Amino acid sequence: MADFPALARIPTLWLQIAVVGVWLGIVLAIAGAVSRFANSDPEIVRKIVHIGTGNVILFAWLLNIPAWVGIGASVLAGITTLLSYRLPLLPGINSIGRKSLGTFFYAVSIGVLVAWFWAVQKPYFAALGILIMTWGDGLAALIGQRYGKHVYTVGGVKKSWEGSLTMAVVSYIVSSSILVAVHGNSWLTWLVAFVVALVATGLEAFSWYGIDNLSVPIASAGLGFLLSQLL
């Protein structure tokens, strides 16, 4: 900062928000370009936004962004998504061909996890839960729709074993990467990551009205937090 005196005069919070804003701008620009020029399936565009925006939790954790910023953004996003079900505010995100509150639950889960784990000074568990939802659920949907040949049904919702396997593998990679980085490499760390991934995969199968966007991140983060007491 000494080499950039102008930056030194900008409050840290505004720099943090600027970093997040730039990232979100990049994500939306990529989604817009794919939608406009690649003639892609709307679900692919939706998942680009789903995965890209979820990674904001990493910036919040690593940049130590205050909890009230994340909670406030979650409330604003939640209100916007609820309105978008009546008004064409987010047509590219909510137009998925089925009744779903998934986008709303997505915003709620972020707010809940930020409030919970920032309060106990363990923000990495919020990151664990959100990133499992972001990457695991996002990639599971894409792989399942494109390559899912072995279908099963849970409560009237069709899933594929290929998609569920993707969810399990990605969830394990996310949870083990974060837990090893924070708690170190031990067999208990890998075991906790395995259990978290297994539970997340099971919950992702129960996706009525997009409820998995709430149950998966909160349960994954909560379970990881509880089991980590063994580490």
Side-chain angles (χ1 to χ4, degrees):
M1 298 292 285
D3 295 330
F4 301 95
L7 290 179
R9 291 193 295 269
I10 300 176
T12 301
L13 177 60
W14 286 110
L15 289 175
Q16 294 169 330
I17 294 175
V19 170
V20 172
V22 168
W23 172 255
L24 291 177
I26 292 172
V27 171
L28 294 177
I30 292 173
V34 170
S35 176
R36 182 174 180 180
F37 299 111
N39 195 27
S40 297
D41 182 340
E43 185 70 4
I44 294 178
V45 176
R46 180 173 174 269
K47 290 306 180 183
I48 290 174
V49 176
H50 175 93
I51 294 173
T53 55
N55 285 292
V56 167
I57 194 67
L58 279 176
F59 292 106
W61 168 26
L62 299 176
L63 296 177
N64 196 29
I65 293 177
W68 66 266
V69 175
I71 296 170
S74 171
V75 171
L76 180 61
I79 293 172
T80 301
T81 54
L82 285 179
L83 290 175
S84 74
Y85 291 113
R86 294 292 182 181
L87 304 172
L89 299 178
L90 302 170
I93 297 177
N94 286 331
S95 299
I96 56 176
R98 63 179 185 273
K99 293 181 179 179
S100 175
L101 290 171
T103 308
F104 172 69
F105 290 141
Y106 190 0
V108 171
S109 65
I110 292 175
V112 169
L113 291 180
V114 168
W116 181 359
F117 290 107
W118 258 249
V120 297
Q121 299 183 349
K122 295 184 183 297
Y124 46 88
F125 285 112
L128 183 150
I130 295 301
L131 292 178
I132 283 179
M133 174 183 68
T134 294
W135 287 97
D137 179 70
L139 292 178
L142 291 177
I143 295 298
Q145 290 175 9
R146 184 172 292 269
Y147 302 107
K149 304 298 183 183
H150 303 85
V151 178
Y152 65 94
T153 302
V154 178
V157 179
K158 290 185 177 180
K159 295 287 182 177
S160 71
W161 288 109
E162 290 84 356
S164 293
L165 179 60
T166 300
M167 177 69 182
V169 171
V170 175
S171 297
Y172 184 66
I173 292 173
V174 169
S175 55
S176 59
S177 297
I178 292 176
L179 291 175
V180 167
V182 173
H183 292 294
N185 186 10
S186 73
W187 70 270
L188 274 175
T189 302
W190 297 101
L191 178 60
V192 169
F194 177 78
V195 174
V196 169
L198 196 64
V199 171
T201 303
L203 289 173
E204 193 270 339
F206 296 89
S207 55
W208 305 292
Y209 298 101
I211 192 64
D212 55 320
N213 278 359
L214 186 66
S215 61
V216 168
I218 292 179
S220 299
L223 182 61
F225 174 63
L226 292 175
L227 292 179
S228 70
Q229 307 307 309
L230 303 173
L231 301 177

